[in-house]
Amino acid sequence: IPLMRTTTRCTCIKISNQPVNPKSLEKLELIPATEFCPHVEIIATMKKNGEKRCLNPESKAIKNLLKAIRRERSKRSP
Amino acid sequence: IPLMRTTTRCTCIKISNQPVNPKSLEKLELIPATEFCPHVEIIATMKKNGEKRCLNPESKAIKNLLKAIRRERSKRSP
């Protein structure tokens, strides 16, 4: 669950380890670590209802998701 | 250069292959391929002026950037 981004703290208050289907993903935001939030944050916006989910940057699910998103391009434009 | 996202076409009209320093990055958006835009789009928002840049998802620079962003966490929380 992300909150409004302020410059004084982290955006995510709850982080999910559950995998996200790239097909149901509207977009994925990666926010690098800053002095205000000492770790990278990854926020998934879902197509269906615009729901936002914070994902664990260290989870295997995220590695696979990033791979899947990048792979889409080569699949469609060989 | 990204335009406002509509559901009927791609967001990016110009794509950069230049590397982006993760330290000067406010956030990175990954938008999966859709029926309206057949390739993944990657949009970097810069800290300095909020400038947005479209990056080439297949460039080595992006691979390195994604790695660098994810690595930050482990660096800061061992």
Side-chain angles (χ1 to χ4, degrees):
Chain A
I1 303 175
L3 290 175
M4 275 306 269
R5 181 81 177 172
T6 69
T7 46
T8 51
R9 58 175 175 70
C10 297
T11 303
C12 295
I13 50 172
K14 202 177 142 185
I15 289 170
S16 165
N17 277 302
Q18 285 201 294
V20 167
N21 184 342
K23 296 256 174 267
S24 49
L25 191 67
E26 185 170 313
K27 68 174 178 180
L28 196 68
E29 286 169 276
L30 282 78
I31 302 169
T34 62
E35 56 185 306
F36 305 111
C37 181
H39 56 267
V40 53
E41 298 190 288
I42 299 186
I43 303 168
T45 305
M46 312 310 289
K47 265 183 201 158
K48 214 176 166 181
N49 47 11
E51 185 206 337
K52 285 173 188 265
R53 276 191 221 169
C54 287
L55 306 180
N56 182 352
E58 287 178 358
S59 68
K60 189 123 197 198
I62 266 296
K63 259 191 207 163
N64 291 339
L65 184 62
L66 288 174
K67 238 189 248 172
I69 294 175
R70 297 185 65 243
R71 209 185 289 134
E72 270 175 38
R73 180 180 172 98
S74 30
K75 207 174 61 194
R76 301 205 192 196
S77 55
Chain B
I1 302 174
L3 289 175
M4 273 306 268
R5 180 82 177 170
T6 68
T7 46
T8 51
R9 56 175 176 71
C10 297
T11 303
C12 294
I13 51 173
K14 200 177 144 187
I15 288 170
S16 164
N17 278 303
Q18 286 201 293
V20 168
N21 183 343
K23 297 256 173 265
S24 49
L25 190 67
E26 184 170 312
K27 68 174 179 181
L28 196 68
E29 286 169 277
L30 282 79
I31 302 170
T34 62
E35 58 184 304
F36 305 111
C37 180
H39 57 267
V40 54
E41 297 189 292
I42 299 186
I43 303 168
T45 305
M46 311 311 287
K47 265 183 201 160
K48 213 174 166 182
N49 46 10
E51 184 207 338
K52 285 172 188 269
R53 276 191 222 170
C54 288
L55 306 179
N56 181 353
E58 287 179 358
S59 67
K60 189 122 197 196
I62 265 295
K63 258 190 207 164
N64 291 338
L65 184 61
L66 289 175
K67 237 189 249 172
I69 294 175
R70 298 185 65 244
R71 210 185 288 133
E72 271 176 36
R73 180 181 171 96
S74 31
K75 207 174 59 195
R76 300 207 192 194
S77 55

